[in-house]
Amino acid sequence: MPRQLEHHADSELPGQGGHLEAASDTEAAAGQPTGTGDQTMDLTTPPSGLGGPTATPEPAPWPWLLRLRPGLLLVAVAAFVLTAWLVFLAVDIIDVGGISDRIPMPMWTYLFNDHVVEVTQWIMLAVVVALSGYLGGRLAGTVHRGASSFFFILAIGLGLMLVEEAGDIRHGISGAVRLHFGADVLGLPYQMVSDVPYFAALAVLPLYAVIRYGRHAWASVSARPYLVAAVGLYGLAAISSGLRHLGSLYVNLGSVIDRAFFGGRFPPAPGMTQDRAHYFVVDGPIEESVELFAVTCMLAMVLAFVADLRAGRLATQLR
């Protein structure tokens, strides 16, 4: 060590002279303990002459998406779905202005399956995945680390659901089951044999997040109704999707709905049988609307939790 640095280091050692030794002498004269023994040093405040106490850093600002009001989001989506249904009813069922004769496909095919309503659902699901992952990272290592685990696991589970929703992976799996085992497996439709385990597997991570860490989200009173609604709607959609082919459930239910509410006027797409069209009564307008409300409630739950967190309104500080 160079001589000048060695001298400087020696002057900083307690009891070796310099300002620290002087401070010890002053404390001793005042009847206070000196800097020996079990005295604990304050590691949060730098020594005198090195810039003074360090200011507490300001928390990072919240992204604007996480400052949206959940109630307004729900109203906006409800208005969007209602508009889609009104257009569908006006064109396909009532045939206002003879529009249905001037378009190549029924209006429901443009609005629901793989189109406007379902694509909106994909986009919102992607937003929920991104915001939940953000919360999982931001809350990690804080008193809300339980909530961090909840949102992080939820983000992974919903990300897998997004892959399924946009890619329809289950169709490839059910096709492979039919190819190798036939149309009936153990007396059940091949789609049910493949779909039920598949949807159950997709539900594992979200359910684990709710069961294991859901109490941390429950600490937000404002988020509770949205969480209950999201779990209920997603559960309804998953169970009905898994059983859709059992006893031609969707076909029979769609036929009843068509006769009772649409007067038997639900139009099939070109080349589609009426039974197949009745299947899409449930799989299209009804199921896509339910799933969009489910993901909306999930996003509203995230927004409500953040609103309570920012305002200090969490019911408990659960770890």
Side-chain angles (χ1 to χ4, degrees), residues 6-48:
E6 183 178 2
H7 174 74
H8 177 73
D10 290 340
S11 68
E12 294 296 314
L13 294 175
Q16 296 295 322
H19 67 277
L20 288 179
E21 183 178 7
S24 299
D25 293 339
T26 303
E27 291 172 357
Q32 298 180 5
T34 63
T36 61
D38 296 330
Q39 181 181 5
T40 301
M41 297 182 65
D42 183 5
L43 300 180
T44 61
T45 305
S48 175

Side-chain angles (χ1 to χ4, degrees), residues 163-291:
V163 173
E164 159 54 29
E165 289 288 347
D168 286 332
I169 297 174
R170 69 183 183 278
H171 294 320
I173 298 175
S174 63
V177 170
R178 180 173 186 177
L179 177 64
H180 292 286
F181 301 101
D184 292 317
V185 182
L186 302 176
L188 297 173
Y190 71 94
Q191 299 100 325
M192 184 177 175
V193 173
S194 62
D195 289 356
V196 170
Y198 180 69
F199 284 122
L202 283 179
V204 166
L205 283 179
L207 281 179
Y208 176 75
V210 171
I211 294 171
R212 177 66 177 83
Y213 297 104
R215 67 186 187 277
H216 301 282
W218 198 255
S220 169
V221 176
S222 302
R224 292 175 185 177
Y226 298 118
L227 178 60
V228 171
V231 172
L233 290 175
Y234 265 129
L236 174 64
I239 293 172
S240 62
S241 294
L243 302 178
R244 68 178 68 190
H245 296 286
L246 183 63
S248 300
L249 175 64
Y250 271 23
V251 173
N252 295 330
L253 183 57
S255 177
V256 171
I257 294 173
D258 186 21
R259 290 195 306 269
F261 297 99
F262 304 150
R265 294 189 294 271
F266 187 84
M272 180 182 292
T273 65
Q274 191 62 53
D275 278 350
R276 185 64 173 166
H278 284 155
Y279 171 88
F280 280 105
V281 169
V282 184
D283 188 71
I286 295 177
E287 185 176 287
E288 300 304 343
S289 299
V290 169
E291 290 182 352

Side-chain angles (χ1 to χ4, degrees), residues 110-174:
Y110 296 109
L111 291 173
F112 297 100
N113 297 81
D114 294 334
H115 286 88
V116 179
V117 173
E118 187 170 14
V119 170
T120 302
Q121 177 199 149
W122 300 344
I123 295 172
M124 292 188 65
L125 191 52
V127 171
V128 176
V129 170
L131 296 184
S132 296
Y134 174 84
L135 270 180
R138 177 153 183 164
L139 299 180
T142 70
V143 295
H144 303 292
R145 58 182 176 273
S148 169
S149 298
F150 170 78
F151 285 110
F152 183 71
I153 297 172
L154 187 68
I156 297 174
L158 295 181
L160 295 176
M161 288 176 55
L162 175 59
V163 173
E164 159 54 29
E165 289 288 347
D168 286 332
I169 297 174
R170 69 183 183 278
H171 294 320
I173 298 175
S174 63

